[in-house]
Amino acid sequence: MLPSATLTPHPATLRRRVSIGVILLLALLQGCAHDRRTIGAMVDDSAVELKATGILTTDPTYRDAHVNVTSVNGILLLSGETPSSEMRDSLLAKVRDIPSIRRIVNEVRIAPPSTLAQRSRDAWITGQVKSRLIGTRGLHSSRITVVTEYTSVFLMGLVSQQESELATNAATNVRGIERVVKLFEYVD
């Protein structure tokens, strides 16, 4: 039998690992600095998005669907297109079983999947809205999630009434938007 040995990392390696851990923790906390959700709610939202996306990607029923999944504080936004109402309804039934969802907002249209040009336009609109939010005095843009689907902009997050008004006004001034949908939860 061989003698057992305890392997301990070299002190420089240990310092490097601790430093990397501290940097990662600080980066995480910086991103969360203005988000009013609890860490638990953020973890739950990530789990909801992973599970819903898993349904879409692993079930061949949804092969012809284009559906985006966004969860903020237990509010799940489904946006995109399915070729039939039966497919959309089937998806809704499956995601309802995911724990931690408090509300589902169904913005799935019955239509062929959007084109690359339309998705690019939506991405451009999202970028424009986020830029406006960053430049809005009295508003922490990191508190707001922006989703654009077929020129409709969805605003999500935990905000005050004033922040909601500021964000909505900023978004409505972006060219090419057909509608702005507020899915905020209010802290006041």
Side-chain angles (χ1 to χ4, degrees):
M1 185 144 181
L2 295 173
S4 64
T6 304
L7 297 176
T8 57
H10 187 274
T13 303
L14 189 57
R15 280 193 299 273
R16 190 176 315 122
R17 287 180 184 168
V18 169
S19 296
I20 290 170
V22 168
I23 290 168
L24 290 173
L25 179 62
L26 288 174
L28 174 68
L29 292 176
Q30 181 181 5
C32 303
H34 295 288
D35 195 327
R36 289 188 173 114
R37 292 179 294 169
T38 64
I39 297 293
M42 289 181 204
V43 169
D44 287 346
D45 287 334
S46 293
V48 165
E49 288 179 359
L50 282 171
K51 289 175 185 171
T53 300
I55 292 168
L56 286 163
T57 57
T58 60
D59 189 332
T61 305
Y62 308 111
R63 181 179 57 246
D64 297 329
H66 165 250
V67 177
N68 298 305
V69 175
T70 309
S71 181
V72 176
N73 209 42
I75 297 175
L76 177 65
L77 170 64
L78 296 174
S79 60
E81 306 85 27
T82 60
S84 70
S85 58
E86 293 81 16
M87 184 184 292
R88 180 197 57 206
D89 296 345
S90 165
L91 176 62
L92 285 168
K94 287 186 178 187
V95 297
R96 279 190 188 104
D97 293 335
I98 298 173
S100 302
I101 296 176
R102 295 184 303 115
R103 178 175 154 213
I104 297 174
V105 179
N106 173 20
E107 287 289 336
V108 177
R109 299 177 322 120
I110 309 305
S114 57
T115 64
L116 179 59
Q118 182 60 49
R119 292 180 199 181
S120 297
R121 176 124 175 100
D122 289 342
W124 181 85
I125 289 171
T126 297
Q128 293 297 305
V129 171
K130 287 181 177 183
S131 293
R132 297 268 173 120
L133 295 177
I134 289 169
T136 301
R137 187 177 204 72
L139 180 66
H140 290 288
S141 61
S142 61
R143 289 185 179 147
I144 299 170
T145 299
V146 180
V147 177
T148 307
E149 189 68 46
Y150 212 76
T151 67
S152 292
V153 173
F154 302 91
L155 302 175
M156 305 174 77
L158 286 159
V159 299
S160 67
Q161 295 283 341
Q162 181 183 10
E163 289 168 327
S164 170
E165 186 176 322
L166 290 169
T168 303
N169 289 339
T172 55
N173 289 319
V174 173
R175 191 176 41 115
I177 294 176
E178 294 205 14
R179 69 183 177 133
V180 175
V181 179
K182 297 187 293 185
L183 300 175
F184 291 128
E185 286 188 284
Y186 297 103
V187 295
D188 56 0

